[in-house]
Amino acid sequence: MVMIAMQSALLGWHAYRSSPVSDEYGHFYAGIRYWHHGDLHSFNVNPPLVRALGTLPAYLNWDELADFTPSFDMIDTLRSGALSRVSVRSEFPFGRELYATAPKRFQQQLFWGRLLVSLFAVAATVAVFRWGQTLYGVTQHNPSARKLSPYGSAIGLVAAGFWAFQPQVLAHGSLITNDIAVTAAMLVSSLCFGRWVRSLHWQDAALGGATLGLALSCKFTALLLCPIYLAFVIWRYCSTRQPRIIGQATLALAITLLVIALPYGFDGVGKPLGELKFSEDALYGQTNDEIASRFENAWFGGIPCPVPEQYLNGMDRQQSDFREGIISYAAGMNTTHGWWWFYLYSMLVKLPTGTLFAIAASLLYLIGRIFDRDHRWSISLDQVLIGCVAAAMIEITAYKSGFAQQHRYILPLYPFLFLLIVAPLARHYESKPGRIVNAGILVGLLATLIASIGIAPHWLGAFNTVSGGTENGHFHLFNDATDWGQDNDLVAHWIATHPQHRPLKLISSTGLGMGIREAYPEFAMLGRYNDPNQKWLIVSKSDLSRNPSLLHSLPTEPIEPIGASHLLFRVDNAAVPPIR
C-alpha cells in the first residue's frame, strides 16, 4: 500500500504540473468529438477507449465544448493532395486551437482526465506485484505444489518497484495517451491468459478474452499478443487433446471481439470486407464515395468484418505512417527513416542507471547458470509466456523502423522485463557470487528510486548518468524524450519572472506549435525584442537535436537549464541563429 500511495502521489504531481504535451491536444480534441458527436475517425490510429476516459471529466463539466468549432477548415487542403499522409492529422491543430481559447479551463479538465488514465499505471503495479509473488513464491523443491514461500511477496515488491518508480512510467502514466494504458492491459491480459492455459476453466477463459479485448481497445500494439496466445493454445491442445480447449478459446475470442466493438458502438461490425473504404485511399480523391474499396474484388470480399470499420481503418492509417517515415533522430543522426536498434538504444540512455545495473546483474546470473553443468533448468509456463511477450516487443519495434522518434513505444516491454530480472532473487544463494547478484538487483532498485526522486517532476526529459545525464539528453534523443511541450508553463513563468534577460529570443517549435504561443502572453511579448541585438536565447532541446547548425552556433555551455526541456544561452550578435 505504501508503494501504491507513493506512486499515486507522484503521478498526481506530474499530472498537475505538466503542461499539455504534443499528443494530448489531439487526444483531447478527438475525445471531445467522440463524446459529443460520436466521431470515430479523429485520431483513429488509436482506439477511442483511452481518450474517451481521459476526456470524460471535460464532457461532464465543460458544456461549451459541445459547440466548439475550429475557426479554420483543412478539408479542402487534405483533398488537394498538397500534404503528405503523415501531416494531415487535423485533430492536432484543432486541439491546439481549443486550448488557445481557454488554456486554464483546458488544463483543469485535462488534469482530472489524467488522474483517471493514471489508474492504468497503478493497476500495472498491482499486476506486476501479484504475478511476481505467485511466479517466484513457489518453492524450488516442489514447484507443482504452488505453495508460496516467505520470499514471494518480497520478490513481487521488487519487480513492482522497478515499474512504479521508473521516470518514464511516472511521466507517461499521468498523460491521456495510450502507451501506459496498453502496457497495463497487456500485462493483465497475459497474467489472465497464463492462468487459463494452466487451469482450463471456463471462467478463466472468459476473463482472458475480456482482458485481451481491453488490451486491443487501448492500442494496436496489443495485437502482438494474438499470435503468441494462438501458439500457446495450439501447444496446450496438442499436449492434452481436450476438446473443451477449442470451446473455451472460441468463447474467449467472442468476448474479445465484443469488448473491442463496445467503444465503437459496433459501427461497421459485420459489414462485408469488400465494402470497406479506407480514409487513406480517399485522401487524394474528391469524395470517399468515388474511391473503390481495395477489397472489392478480393476472394474474401463477402466475409463479414469481425471488428469495427474504423478499427481496421486506423490500423491502415498507422501502417501508412510507417511506410512513409517521419523525421527521426538518435545519437546525433537525423534521418527520415528509423533504425532497428533505436528502441534498444533509447532504453540504454533513458532507463535509470540503477535499473541498468540490475539488468546487468541478472544477466550475469543467467550466464552463470548457462555454464553451470550441474544446473537443472526449471522454467514455468508463465516465465515462457513473459519471455515470449518481451521478445516479441523487441522484435516488433525493430521491424517497425519506419521512424524513430518516440521512446514511449517500447514501454510495454518494461513490466515483462522487470519480472524477468528479479528471477535470481527466487534462489536462496549461499555462495558469494549469488549473494552479490541479489545485492546488485536490490541496490539497482534503490538507485532507481533515488534517481527518480532526484529528477522529479521532470521525468519526461530524464536521462541516466551513463548517457551523460539529463542535461545532455538532446545529444541522444528528441521529441517525447526531451521536449514534448511539458514545460510550456514553466518556460512562460521563467520569462515573466526574469525581465533582466532582455532582449530574449525563444526557439521552441516542438512544444509551442500552432495555436499555443497565442495562449501565452509571455511568449507573444518576445516579438518586440526580436532584433539583431539579442543577447539571450532560450532553446528547446528538441530543436537542438533537429538542427545541428543551431547547436554548433551556440556557446558550448548553457547558462542554466529551464526544467529538463529548455536551455538558456547568452550569445553574441553574430551567433544568434534565425528563428525556425
Side-chain angles (χ1 to χ4, degrees), residues 340-349 394 397-398 410 413:
W340 66 267
W341 47 263
F342 172 79
Y343 293 99
L344 295 175
Y345 178 81
S346 69
M347 286 195 297
L348 181 64
V349 298
I394 295 174
T397 51
I410 197 62
L413 169 65

Side-chain angles (χ1 to χ4, degrees), residues 8-239:
S8 299
L10 295 174
L11 288 167
W13 183 14
H14 189 266
Y16 177 78
R17 62 81 52 193
S18 177
S19 306
V21 300
S22 182
D23 273 21
E24 284 188 301
Y25 299 106
H27 281 290
F28 194 92
Y29 176 79
I32 293 302
R33 291 281 304 174
Y34 172 84
W35 284 115
H36 286 289
H37 305 285
D39 182 2
L40 298 171
H41 181 267
S42 297
F43 222 129
N44 64 357
V45 295
N46 285 313
L49 177 64
V50 177
R51 60 177 174 268
L53 180 64
T55 52
L56 180 59
Y59 170 68
L60 296 176
N61 301 305
W62 194 353
D63 296 334
E64 294 82 359
L65 288 180
D67 302 321
F68 172 76
T69 302
S71 61
F72 60 94
D73 189 0
M74 296 183 65
I75 295 178
D76 292 337
T77 304
L78 303 186
R79 289 178 176 170
S80 69
L83 300 177
S84 70
R85 294 182 180 183
V86 175
S87 60
V88 293
R89 301 282 296 281
S90 60
E91 59 268 22
F92 291 106
F94 290 169
R96 291 173 183 271
E97 184 180 351
L98 173 60
Y99 174 78
T101 61
K104 292 184 178 180
R105 189 75 181 274
F106 187 107
Q107 184 77 47
Q108 180 187 50
Q109 298 304 322
L110 179 65
F111 167 69
W112 295 113
R114 284 172 166 177
L115 291 185
L116 284 179
V117 175
S118 67
L119 294 176
F120 282 103
V122 177
T125 302
V126 176
V128 171
F129 166 72
R130 181 59 180 167
W131 208 351
Q133 180 187 48
T134 57
L135 185 64
Y136 298 113
V138 179
T139 58
Q140 295 295 316
H141 298 293
N142 188 13
S144 61
R146 310 304 300 172
K147 180 181 178 181
L148 295 180
S149 76
Y151 300 97
S153 296
I155 297 172
L157 280 175
V158 173
F162 277 112
W163 165 264
F165 301 116
Q166 283 297 315
Q168 298 310 303
V169 172
L170 294 172
H172 290 279
S174 50
L175 305 176
I176 62 166
T177 50
N178 302 71
D179 304 284
I180 295 298
V182 73
T183 301
M186 288 174 62
L187 178 68
V188 173
S189 174
S190 300
L191 176 60
C192 294
F193 176 79
R195 179 178 178 180
W196 168 62
V197 171
R198 291 192 308 271
S199 70
L200 295 183
H201 292 159
W202 286 92
Q203 61 269 30
D204 291 335
L207 182 60
T211 52
L212 176 59
L214 175 64
L216 294 172
S217 297
C218 288
K219 195 173 183 181
F220 298 135
T221 304
L223 286 167
L224 69 84
L225 294 177
C226 295
I228 297 174
Y229 288 2
L230 178 60
F232 272 84
V233 170
I234 294 174
W235 165 80
R236 190 72 165 115
Y237 177 77
C238 293
S239 61

